Amino acid sequence: MNRGFFAVIDDRELPPAETQRLCGDVHFGDLLRRRRRYLDELHAAATQADEVIILRSDEEAERLVRRIEAMRGEAVWLRMPTATAPLNMDAMGFLIAKMRYALETMVLSPVQADDAHMLLRPQQMITLLAAQSAKSKRAQVLEIVQNATEVTHDLAFADLRQTASLSSFLSGATEPRAFNTLAADQEIYVKSSMDVAKMRAEHDFYALARPEVQRFLLPTFGYEEKAGIASYRMENLRVPDAALQFVLGSLDKAGFARLLDQFFAFINARDRDAVGRAAVQDAGTQQILKKLKDRLARFADTEAFGRVNAALKAGGVEDGLEGLNRRAEPLITRVLQDHGSDYLAFSHGDPCLSNILFDSRIGLFRLIDPRGATARAEALMHPLYDLAKFSHSVLGGYDFINNELFAIEVGADLRIKLRYQGDGAPVWMRTAFEARLKAEGWEITAVRAVEASLFLSMLPLHLDHERKLLGFALIAQDILNELETV
């Protein structure tokens, strides 16, 4: 067995300009997949190594070269460039574990452009790390490959420098709810769950929509029920969701403008069933206020409630969740009473950014994972609801919390405060959305009041990540503070 086994994650290479529209100006290792950085996934897969070393700059690579030169004794070095990604981290972990026992130079992945995952001897590692250009690195890689053994396995790798491969890699980045599973079968996604009624409603929603609305939806087909599990199928579009592009900062002003155009085109295409203001107010009471009360009551019966409530009170949130609810209800009630719409809208029910597949180059926009309905009347909702769901991503920062890209800081006064990674949505994006709301005839205060209810009502849905619950509550507090000063 080798005396030392070291895994080196080489994350120095930056995405080329043509792919930054998808991933932003970040290292490949910073890409997010189901709430985890790709870098952290790869690190976790390499835990069988004696040490995992991460390189993010040429200076760090130079220091590693000096370290290897100073080491005595035989060791093997597994170099893993993040530009070429293994598509199954469990299989990658098993493969890495086997490399400890390798007796010769091994190639774990096909050479893609100028790089590959390889198990190297010290001098080979030094030579490769010291390469001064892509041309030099490619020459070194090809020379090593010619005299190395290729590992036999079924693990596929993707070159993330290629737009199509990156799109495919990112398209599976959204984390499904705990009660759902997603499986890709070539060009088809299969979504399944033990919640049979929910799966039936999601599947049937597309057929209930008019063609003017269907163009914004991803068609569903192939509904099945077997052994208490329901499933349906969708086309496997290799397009990342808008939430991923949002939190990575890859949505520029032109791309975001296209997203707004498509979203408001969907809003304006929805069926509008005239039912009178009284019926709209009643729908708002049932779909927004009652849901808030029921969800908070449900949350109050959990062990997490006491911990979250105590943390909020200790952090300066007056009366904790009870205080937030006491402030929210009259604001929401007033908004629903003052709202002038006399129609209910055929609604998706959850058009947050993570449920929007979006390609800014061609303006492709597809909504997935609807609230669902098996009869048309079930899809009729208060007209503010879909707007608030979109706003809770753009203005509320939901996707930063859901992907755990946030910190909860304690100030000098011991009050807790929420801080988003990278300061959250840029000012220009918030301003553009608010301006578009106004131009389309919607009141921002009304949308944000409903948005506050969404953050509070989602608390019992995320019990497996209690830190996120604090984040949602603090966002609700910020919205209420804003509305109370209007």
Side-chain angles (χ1 to χ4, degrees), residues 8-259:
V8 178
I9 302 175
D10 195 339
D11 194 32
R12 291 178 292 163
E13 185 171 355
L14 296 174
E18 59 268 24
T19 63
Q20 288 187 10
R21 67 174 184 82
L22 293 177
C23 63
D25 185 14
V26 298
H27 289 257
F28 283 113
D30 292 322
L31 298 177
L32 292 170
R33 290 166 52 79
R34 302 191 176 183
R35 293 189 301 103
R36 296 187 70 186
R37 282 194 312 165
Y38 163 41
L39 186 66
D40 296 331
E41 284 190 291
L42 204 51
H43 189 290
T47 54
Q48 292 300 314
D50 296 327
E51 183 181 352
V52 180
I53 301 164
I54 297 172
L55 302 180
R56 305 270 280 186
S57 68
D58 289 338
E59 291 76 15
E60 291 174 341
E62 291 172 6
R63 288 196 293 271
L64 180 58
V65 166
R66 292 195 295 270
R67 176 182 171 185
I68 297 173
E69 290 173 337
M71 291 176 66
R72 294 185 178 182
E74 188 65 16
V76 290
W77 298 81
L78 174 61
R79 178 177 171 273
M80 299 181 288
T82 56
T84 60
L87 298 183
N88 183 326
M89 285 298 172
D90 290 336
M92 185 64 178
F94 180 70
L95 184 60
I96 292 172
K98 293 197 300 182
M99 290 302 100
R100 174 183 291 278
Y101 305 98
L103 300 176
E104 55 190 329
T105 302
M106 308 288 285
V107 179
L108 281 69
S109 70
V111 176
Q112 305 199 34
D114 60 354
D115 222 339
H117 292 246
M118 296 186 292
L119 186 75
L120 305 168
R121 297 303 173 186
Q123 190 55 50
Q124 293 172 319
M125 186 68 173
I126 289 171
T127 302
L128 197 52
L129 290 176
Q132 297 297 308
S133 65
K135 182 178 180 180
S136 175
K137 183 176 71 173
R138 176 176 172 78
Q140 295 294 338
V141 168
L142 292 179
E143 181 179 341
I144 291 171
V145 169
Q146 284 180 350
N147 301 298
T149 299
E150 184 175 345
V151 181
T152 302
H153 55 72
D154 296 326
L155 175 59
F157 288 78
D159 186 348
L160 302 186
R161 295 164 295 189
Q162 302 298 319
T163 301
S165 295
L166 179 61
S167 295
S168 181
F169 182 75
L170 295 179
S171 66
T174 302
E175 181 180 42
R177 288 275 178 85
F179 51 79
N180 296 326
T181 60
L182 288 173
D185 180 12
Q186 297 181 350
E187 302 304 315
I188 303 298
Y189 254 138
V190 181
K191 183 174 182 181
S192 60
S193 172
M194 295 177 65
D195 190 338
V196 174
K198 175 64 174 170
M199 291 297 96
R200 167 64 80 178
E202 287 187 14
H203 169 267
D204 290 357
F205 180 78
Y206 179 82
L208 295 172
R210 292 185 302 118
E212 291 82 356
V213 175
Q214 284 181 338
R215 76 181 185 92
F216 299 102
L217 308 176
L218 194 62
T220 55
F221 58 93
Y223 179 82
E224 292 183 349
E225 293 181 23
K226 291 182 179 179
I229 297 176
S231 65
Y232 65 88
R233 288 160 171 74
M234 301 169 283
E235 181 183 3
N236 181 16
L237 287 183
R238 289 175 172 82
V239 177
D241 63 60
L244 192 68
Q245 299 172 62
F246 174 66
V247 298
L248 290 174
S250 61
L251 277 176
D252 59 15
K253 292 183 179 180
F256 187 64
R258 294 188 189 98
L259 178 63

Side-chain angles (χ1 to χ4, degrees), residues 357-375:
L357 304 181
F358 180 65
D359 187 329
S360 64
R361 293 176 307 167
I362 58 176
L364 184 146
F365 176 105
R366 293 292 183 272
L367 289 162
I368 59 173
D369 293 353
R371 175 175 174 267
T374 56

